[in-house]
Amino acid sequence: EVQLVESGGGLVQPGRSLRLSCAASGFSFDDHAMHWVRQVPGKGLEWVAGISGKSDSIGHADSVKGRFTVSRDNAKNSLYLEMNSLRVEDTALYYCVKKSSDIFDMWGQGTMVTVSS
Amino acid sequence: EIVMTQSPATLSVSPGERVTVSCRASQSIRSNLAWFQQRPGQAPRLLISGASTRATGVPARFSGSGSGTEFTLTISSLQSEDFAVYYCQQYNDWYTFGQGTKLEI
């Protein structure tokens, strides 16, 4: 069974940093690109960042470019999102998402990030 | 950035009804469109990819159509478990989502 379990969320002050993790199991992790998608509670979905299976292709949304960095450790079946210079508008539920042939086919349950003073 | 526009934002429906949700792209995305269902308190679930291909385990009452800039999600006979928010997503040029359509009683 495919499982994606996010962790690392919490309450943080504006300007500070946070690192999210996603532990993957049940599939061949390094064969799949992985992504982060966020959702403000009660609002819509926003793609944040993605990384190919071998980390040779990486992309970030303009809204987080220069502040967030996606990475992965295939030996640990883990995906990461390093978030720096956090803003109030980064407050959201962050989902780890598995991609198969361009499709976001599996989503974790998310980890909540709250940026507030 | 490709903008995805869904309509309507909210749809008041009854069990057994046929439901249609529309999604428009600001430029052609060919058939690179997916539909997701999100029930309250749950993560989004893939329903349809390639504009019309149902994901594994998705009931046949869900169908998708369209290409280019105009797309439709149809639920042929609404069941109680279908009351949720539905999102379209394009994956032709990076990834953007529609704002969602909420089905409510």
Side-chain angles (χ1 to χ4, degrees):
Chain A
E1 179 193 3
V2 173
Q3 278 202 316
L4 300 169
V5 180
E6 302 93 337
S7 61
L11 174 64
V12 62
Q13 293 179 328
R16 303 298 291 264
S17 299
L18 208 58
R19 189 196 200 203
L20 305 184
S21 299
C22 171
S25 60
F27 64 101
S28 182
F29 184 68
D30 52 5
D31 281 343
H32 293 270
M34 297 294 296
H35 291 257
W36 290 98
V37 174
R38 67 185 181 184
Q39 183 174 36
V40 175
K43 302 296 184 183
L45 300 163
E46 179 188 18
W47 174 76
V48 173
I51 184 168
S52 62
K54 291 178 171 44
S55 303
D56 51 358
S57 178
I58 293 174
H60 298 83
D62 288 344
S63 58
V64 306
K65 203 168 289 184
R67 300 187 300 121
F68 290 12
T69 302
V70 62
S71 64
R72 64 192 294 161
D73 185 337
N74 288 345
K76 295 182 178 179
N77 284 359
S78 293
L79 174 73
Y80 306 102
L81 186 67
E82 188 74 39
M83 303 186 296
N84 299 318
S85 302
L86 280 161
R87 304 169 180 169
V88 171
E89 55 265 35
D90 294 321
T91 294
L93 185 62
Y94 284 73
Y95 291 106
C96 168
V97 185
K98 168 180 167 283
K99 193 175 85 164
S100 295
S101 302
D102 280 336
I103 310 304
F104 288 6
D105 65 339
M106 288 296 300
W107 299 57
Q109 287 304 305
T111 186
M112 186 68 200
V113 173
T114 303
V115 185
S116 174
S117 54
Chain B
E1 174 183 303
I2 298 175
V3 177
M4 306 300 292
T5 303
Q6 286 182 237
S7 60
T10 306
L11 201 50
S12 295
V13 292
S14 301
E17 282 189 21
R18 179 184 179 90
V19 170
T20 298
V21 179
S22 297
C23 178
R24 173 178 292 177
S26 60
Q27 64 189 74
S28 176
I29 58 170
R30 299 178 290 173
S31 294
N32 295 320
L33 183 104
W35 289 97
F36 296 89
Q37 176 193 66
Q38 187 175 34
R39 294 174 176 143
Q42 295 187 16
R45 167 200 176 198
L46 175 68
L47 292 178
I48 287 171
S49 62
S52 61
T53 302
R54 277 190 305 276
T56 302
V58 174
R61 63 181 181 272
F62 290 92
S63 63
S65 63
S67 67
T69 62
E70 300 285 343
F71 301 88
T72 299
L73 172 69
T74 300
I75 309 173
S76 60
S77 179
L78 205 64
Q79 305 298 301
S80 57
E81 61 266 30
D82 301 336
F83 288 92
V85 180
Y86 293 83
Y87 294 95
C88 61
Q89 177 220 22
Q90 68 81 17
Y91 50 91
N92 190 69
D93 180 15
W94 294 104
Y95 313 94
T96 47
F97 295 86
Q99 77 276 24
T101 294
K102 183 179 181 180
L103 300 189
E104 60 180 28
I105 299 176

